Amino acid sequence: MAPRRAAALRGGEQSLREHLIAAARALVARRGTAGLTVRDIAGEAGVADGVLYNHFADKEELLAYALHAHVRAVEAELDGAAPRPGEGTVAANLRAYLARALALHAAILPAFAGLTTQPKLLARLGDLPTPLAGGQGLRTELAGYVHAERRLGRVAASASPEAVATLVVGVCHDLVLGRLLDPSGPPPEPPAELVDALVATLLHGVLPGDRAGARDGPGRTPG
C-alpha cells in the first residue's frame, strides 16, 4: 500500500473497504467497467492484488458497489432537486423532473458502457437496491410526487401515478440507455422542444380537442 494512503487509513478517515470502493469508483468514472482488472483496481488503491478478496467475494461485487457509489455521486452533483408537491405548476415540475432524469442518465452512461457483456456484474448489481432517489428509485419517487399532487387536486383523480412515472422513466431509457449498445458517440442531448412535447403529451393526452379531458371531469387540472 502506498505510504500516504496507508497513513490515511490508519488515521481512521476511511476503512479499507471504503477505500477500495472509492478507488474502483474513480476508475469506473474514467474508464467504465469494461476491461477493468483486479490489478487495475489494486494499483489505483495502492494495495496488493489479493487485498480485494479480503473484503469482496470477487471483482464484480466490488465493481457493483463502485457503480452504486458513482451513480449516487453523479445524482448529488446535479443542479436542482426533485419537484415538491404543491409548489410551482405540475407542468413545470414534470418538465424539471424529466430534464433532470435525462441529464442523470446521460451523465452515468459512460460508466455503464460495456455492462451488457458482463453478466456476472449485472447479477451482482441485481443483488443491490437501486442507488437513485435515496434508494427508492426514480419511478417510485415520481409516482409518489404524482400521488401527492392528486391528493392536492392538481392532478386528475383518474390519473395513474404509476403510469406517469413509467412513461417518464421509459423515455429516459429510450433516449439514453439505448446508447449502451453503441457507446462510441457522445451522450444524447434531447432538445428542449422534445421535453416540452413529452410533458404536453403527458398532461393532455393524444385525443383531439378536449375529448381526453371530458372523461376526467372538473378535477382535471394541468397545474
Side-chain angles (χ1 to χ4, degrees):
M1 183 183 300
R4 181 181 301 174
R5 286 174 179 149
L9 293 175
R10 284 197 300 270
E13 296 175 16
Q14 191 178 49
S15 72
L16 181 52
R17 177 184 171 85
E18 292 168 340
H19 175 66
L20 291 170
I21 292 173
R25 183 178 80 81
L27 280 176
V28 165
R30 294 200 305 266
R31 297 172 43 182
T33 60
L36 284 184
T37 65
V38 169
R39 178 167 293 182
D40 292 332
I41 301 170
E44 180 76 14
V47 300
D49 295 1
V51 169
L52 276 66
Y53 298 102
N54 295 333
H55 300 273
F56 302 94
D58 47 37
K59 178 188 72 175
E60 287 74 21
E61 184 184 24
L62 170 55
L63 288 177
Y65 279 103
L67 279 168
H68 264 233
H70 178 63
V71 170
R72 289 194 301 270
V74 170
E75 184 183 30
E77 292 169 359
L78 288 178
D79 293 333
R84 295 174 62 88
E87 296 182 1
T89 67
V90 173
N93 289 342
L94 287 176
R95 188 177 296 108
Y97 189 96
L98 181 54
R100 191 173 190 274
L102 284 169
L104 171 64
H105 281 77
I108 65 177
L109 176 64
F112 283 81
L115 195 62
T116 54
T117 63
Q118 302 177 76
K120 191 173 180 181
L121 177 52
L122 283 171
R124 289 293 190 188
L125 280 171
D127 291 336
L128 299 177
T130 175
L132 293 170
Q136 63 180 327
L138 297 180
R139 184 178 293 128
T140 300
E141 178 186 52
L142 181 55
Y145 163 78
V146 178
H147 268 293
E149 292 285 29
R150 194 171 66 177
R151 288 194 296 270
L152 293 171
R154 303 209 313 161
V155 166
S158 60
S160 167
E162 288 73 22
V164 172
T166 298
L167 287 169
V168 170
V169 174
V171 165
C172 295
H173 290 177
D174 179 66
L175 294 178
V176 178
L177 293 188
R179 291 297 305 278
L180 286 175
L181 300 176
D182 180 21
S184 56
E189 295 183 9
E193 293 81 5
L194 177 58
V195 173
D196 289 341
L198 289 166
V199 171
T201 301
L202 281 173
L203 291 173
H204 305 298
V206 296
L207 295 181
D210 200 35
R211 294 180 195 173
R215 289 188 312 231
D216 297 337
R220 178 179 180 273
T221 57

